[in-house]
Each structure stands twice: as structure tokens, then as C-alpha cells.
Amino acid sequence: LRRMAERFRCSGGLLPGAGSPDVADCTEDVQASQVLTGKRKRKRKGRQKAQATKVSQGQTEAKQRKRPNHFCCIRITGDEVVTRLIHSQSIAKAATAEVEPYLIEPSTFHVTVLLLSINSPEEMKRAKAGLLLAAQSINEALSGKPLTLSVKGIGSFRQRVVFAKLSPLVSNSSTCETVVVPSNRNTEPLGAITKCLYESFTQVDAEDVVMDFGRSMNYHLTLAKLSKQRRFSSKRMRETSSETLKKLDPGIFSGEADGVDNVEFGEICCNTVVLCQMIGRNRGEFYPVVDEVNFAGGSHTESSR
């Protein structure tokens, strides 16, 4: 509109009583207006770019703060089950030698029940307090009894993670028999343990260190995993692996003619939740244990770390 008005004035379309315009003056006015408009546009673009950069930096910092570096888990230590899990890995290795670098070390077998992001001594202090508080609530949720899990069948997540399936065993009070509860994404009592942990962390103002609570969890025991962290993580792996696998076939872990669903690994009895850190693990060892609680009796054992 401003440009149209300037053109109207320069063409002689003035209001009655106004003097005749000077063409040179009109041209200078138009040029000055165009320069001013260009500067305003550049300033506006600069502000928008700075704001977008600030938002991007804030999102990046938030992601960095929320990257998981600790987890709560149930450690798998039963000799019979661990032996059969190792045998399943051996079957897979015999079928496809390239799978070896992606096999999970038996010393680290566990079931994750909660992911955490702990980035300061204060957050660690609150996380430990939440874990200690959770012992009593878990004990009540499981009626003071250890958790018994049936390990049967092999599954996969998009052929990138191969795992042994878990089914909690519960007592039927009417028949005094132990029955298998089909494990799904919200199966008790594994789901109850996760819920108790989160509620206890909330009570001590540590809910900010908890990641992905509320998202459906599929509890599993990992046998092999494709990931950038595990691929060729040592010189030995680079020398012994001629190819990089794109997929993991769960079928090669069974060694059974009737499929992966009928592979029996046995039963495990668990009564401890362990708080571990993801980094700092030595080969052949379990993850560094920060703290642990016994939910079958409410006792507490703290690591020296």
C-alpha cells in the first residue's frame, strides 16, 4: 500500500492544493523505502533464525539430560537357566558364525524393569532413597514371596534383538498349584515391580530421573542384539567377523524342529532389584552395581561405589 501511494503521488495524483512533485525526490523516496523494507526483512529473518537455534539447542540439551545411563533390573543367576541360554547361543553360533559378536555375554543376563538418567550426586542420592523405599512396597505387592519366572520360547524385536520370553509363575490359592501367567506388556508381577519403583521414586522427588515410564514395557531376557555400540567393539571382533549382519534370525537360536515357541530354559527365582550403571563394565563381568534391595525380606545391600 505504501508503494502504491508513492506511485500515485509521483504520477501527479495529489490532493487539491498540493504542489507539483519533483520526480527526483519521488525516486529517492521510493529507493529509501525499499532499503528500509529490506533491512526490516533481514532483521525479522535474523530473529526467527536465532529463535529456532535457541529452541534446537534446548531440545538437544534436554535429550542429552534424558539419555539413559542407569537402569533397575533383575539379575539372572540360576545355573540351569543360564546354562541353557548359553547352549542356545552356541546353537546360533554353530548355524551362523557371524552372529558371535552380537551375542550377549552370559555374565550380564538380566531383565530390565526401569530405565534411569542420573547425572549428579544429588540425583543418585534420591535414586538410592527411592530404591530403598520401593523394597517394602514390592514386598507387599508380591505378598512377601520371591518372584518366580518361567523362561520359555524365543522372540525378537524386528529381527534386531533376539530374546528369551518370560512368564511369571503365581500360586493358585484355591488349588495350591503353580500356574503360568502369559507374559504381556502389562503382566503382573513384573509390571507391579516397575510401578512400585516409580511410585517410590516419586515420593522422594526422584521421578525426574525415570525414563519412559507409562510406555508399555515388554519384559524380556536378551540373547543377542544388533547395535552400533556392540558392532566390532573390539579389535578381536573386527578380525574374526568378515561380515556385518543386517538381521538376527530367532530360528537359529532354537535348534528345535517344532519352532522357537517350545524351547524350554527352565525357571528362575528372583528376590533382588539391582540399580546398575551402563558404563564402566569390564568384559566377562556384570554391570557395575550401585545399589540393590531384597524385596522378599526388605533387606538392603549398598555397593561401595
Side-chain angles (χ1 to χ4, degrees):
L1 292 175
R2 185 168 58 252
R3 290 181 182 178
M4 291 177 65
E6 288 170 350
R7 291 173 182 172
F8 180 78
R9 183 166 64 87
C10 290
S11 64
L14 300 176
L15 294 174
S20 300
D22 184 82
V23 175
D25 292 341
C26 290
T27 303
E28 292 177 357
D29 291 343
V30 172
Q31 292 175 347
S33 175
Q34 291 175 345
V35 171
L36 183 60
T37 302
K39 288 182 178 179
R40 288 173 178 172
K41 287 183 177 180
R42 287 193 295 271
K43 285 183 178 180
R44 183 165 62 249
K45 289 181 179 180
R47 288 194 298 268
Q48 292 174 348
K49 184 177 181 180
Q51 184 177 5
T53 302
K54 186 176 180 180
V55 171
S56 177
Q57 290 176 348
Q59 292 175 344
T60 301
E61 291 175 358
K63 289 181 179 179
Q64 291 176 347
R65 288 196 301 270
K66 281 300 181 182
R67 186 171 182 174
N69 52 21
H70 290 75
F71 61 98
C72 290
C73 71
I74 296 173
R75 188 174 180 181
I76 307 301
T77 57
D79 292 339
E80 180 183 357
V81 172
V82 171
T83 299
R84 292 182 180 180
L85 292 171
I86 295 174
H87 178 64
S88 177
Q89 291 180 325
S90 300
I91 294 174
K93 188 165 56 175
T96 306
E98 290 78 10
V99 77
E100 183 178 4
Y102 309 101
L103 299 177
I104 299 298
E105 290 189 51
S107 61
T108 65
F109 285 151
H110 67 277
V111 179
T112 300
V113 292
L114 200 65
L115 288 175
L116 306 171
S117 179
I118 303 175
N119 300 290
S120 70
E122 177 60 28
E123 289 182 344
M124 178 60 73
K125 181 179 179 180
R126 286 186 278 126
K128 288 183 177 181
L131 181 64
L132 179 60
L133 184 62
Q136 184 60 34
S137 59
I138 295 174
N139 192 47
E140 294 175 356
L142 300 183
S143 303
K145 299 178 181 179
L147 170 65
T148 304
L149 297 172
S150 172
V151 187
K152 179 181 178 181
I154 298 174
S156 73
F157 298 133
R158 296 180 297 178
Q159 292 188 313
R160 295 192 60 82
V161 177
V162 174
F163 57 88
K165 297 180 180 180
L166 303 170
S167 297
L169 298 175
V170 298
S171 297
N172 189 328
S173 58
S174 60
T175 62
C176 297
E177 296 179 350
T178 300
V179 296
V180 178
V181 180
S183 182
N184 56 42
R185 297 189 176 186
N186 297 303
T187 294
E188 300 289 351
L190 288 171
I193 293 177
T194 300
K195 183 178 179 181
C196 289
L197 284 168
Y198 178 74
E199 290 177 347
S200 297
F201 275 52
T202 301
Q203 292 181 40
V204 297
D205 297 324
E207 69 274 12
D208 55 326
V209 306
V210 178
M211 298 191 63
D212 297 330
F213 180 78
R215 189 177 71 176
S216 297
M217 292 191 66
N218 193 332
Y219 303 99
H220 61 280
L221 200 167
T222 305
L223 293 172
K225 182 178 182 180
L226 290 180
S227 67
K228 293 180 180 179
Q229 290 78 14
R230 292 191 59 81
R231 282 183 185 174
F232 311 124
S233 58
S234 69
K235 182 178 179 180
R236 185 186 68 83
M237 288 185 179
R238 290 194 297 269
E239 291 175 347
T240 58
S241 298
S242 59
E243 298 182 7
T244 299
L245 292 182
K246 302 297 183 181
K247 295 181 180 180
L248 290 172
D249 179 11
I252 65 175
F253 289 80
S254 67
E256 299 287 342
D258 50 354
V260 296
D261 293 331
N262 297 314
V263 181
E264 293 275 2
F265 294 103
E267 298 177 4
I268 51 178
C269 184
C270 319
N271 62 355
T272 304
V273 175
V274 186
L275 171 59
C276 304
Q277 64 183 39
M278 294 184 177
I279 61 175
R281 185 181 71 84
N282 295 322
R283 187 173 182 83
E285 297 180 359
F286 191 64
Y287 294 92
V289 176
V290 177
D291 205 356
E292 61 183 84
V293 292
N294 186 317
F295 54 78
S299 62
H300 171 253
T301 301
E302 184 172 348
S303 172
S304 59
R305 290 180 179 270

